[in-house]
Amino acid sequence: MSADLWLVVGLGNPGPSYAGNRHNAGFMVLDVLAARAGGRFKSHRARADVLEGRLAGTRAVLAKPRSFMNESGGPVKGLCDFYKVPVERLVVVHDELDIPFGAVRLKQGGGDNGHNGLRSLTKSLGSREYQRVRFGVGRPPGRMDAAAFVLKDFSAAERKDLALEVDRAADAVEALMADGLAAAQNVFHAG
């Protein structure tokens, strides 16, 4: 594949019982991007569902690993190798506890901040330098365990705005691809 190809991966857990979980924000954003690309996900041998198409005026492969969140690194590394995508052209969309619900933040590199999906990716890729689109899910209330919190569905109040916020995160992915990290940060970090 050529150097202009992007790999956009949404993190989540497979199966209907996890579909509405905060931890599946990445999958939700990828579903919006798939609709924009006008395609359907198909099974790939790298243990992921993929869609090859165009986004933000460029070629892109959208992917949702079929493994559980804490084992996403293997499928993502397999896709990077298969499509010959350098780590700098990998965009990972994931939930983020340290950002208020609905806020979107973009960055390249950094630690995993206790996120098991990111830990798995960094270990498998041997690099932290992938692009990240972080979807804020906020902190758990009271003393609730963070792991339990992210495996719960968005609250009724959050669900009222969820489609709008997921759509904004999809916009952020396309802005990152089209305009670069700094320009996308200027737009999405202002709000």
Side-chain angles (χ1 to χ4, degrees):
M1 292 280 171
S2 66
D4 68 341
L5 183 72
W6 287 87
L7 174 60
V8 182
V9 175
L11 295 185
N13 284 312
S17 62
Y18 296 101
N21 287 182
R22 290 178 178 92
H23 226 16
N24 274 37
F27 278 8
M28 294 173 191
V29 173
L30 265 284
D31 288 340
V32 169
L33 291 170
R36 291 180 184 183
R40 282 195 137 84
F41 285 102
K42 295 180 175 73
S43 183
H44 190 278
R45 68 179 185 203
R47 293 183 305 138
D49 293 327
V50 302
L51 185 166
E52 297 179 32
R54 293 189 73 76
L55 257 188
T58 189
R59 294 172 50 241
V61 175
L62 307 180
K64 298 191 298 186
R66 285 194 309 268
S67 61
F68 282 93
M69 174 75 76
N70 59 354
E71 298 172 350
S72 336
V76 174
K77 170 81 166 104
L79 291 168
C80 283
D81 291 349
F82 182 84
Y83 289 104
K84 298 177 177 52
V85 173
V87 74
E88 300 79 28
R89 291 186 74 83
L90 167 63
V91 180
V92 178
V93 185
H94 64 89
D95 59 302
E96 178 63 63
L97 285 165
D98 288 338
I99 300 173
F101 169 75
V104 175
R105 297 290 179 264
L106 300 93
K107 73 176 189 175
Q108 180 175 2
D112 57 46
N113 203 22
H115 194 292
N116 290 331
L118 295 179
R119 183 177 297 133
S120 175
L121 258 70
T122 297
K123 183 177 180 199
S124 293
L125 295 168
S127 172
R128 303 172 188 272
E129 292 308 305
Y130 46 90
Q131 311 283 340
R132 302 162 192 211
V133 175
R134 304 176 300 155
F135 185 92
V137 296
R139 299 295 305 174
R143 294 193 173 155
M144 180 187 279
D145 178 59
F149 179 70
V150 296
L151 290 175
K152 290 196 177 310
D153 285 359
F154 286 98
S155 71
E158 290 168 334
R159 281 195 302 270
K160 287 182 182 142
D161 295 324
L162 185 58
L164 182 68
E165 302 304 348
V166 167
D167 212 54
R168 259 187 84 246
D171 291 345
V173 171
E174 291 200 70
L176 171 63
M177 292 170 60
D179 306 322
L181 180 62
Q185 286 173 326
N186 286 340
V187 171
F188 289 89
H189 292 194

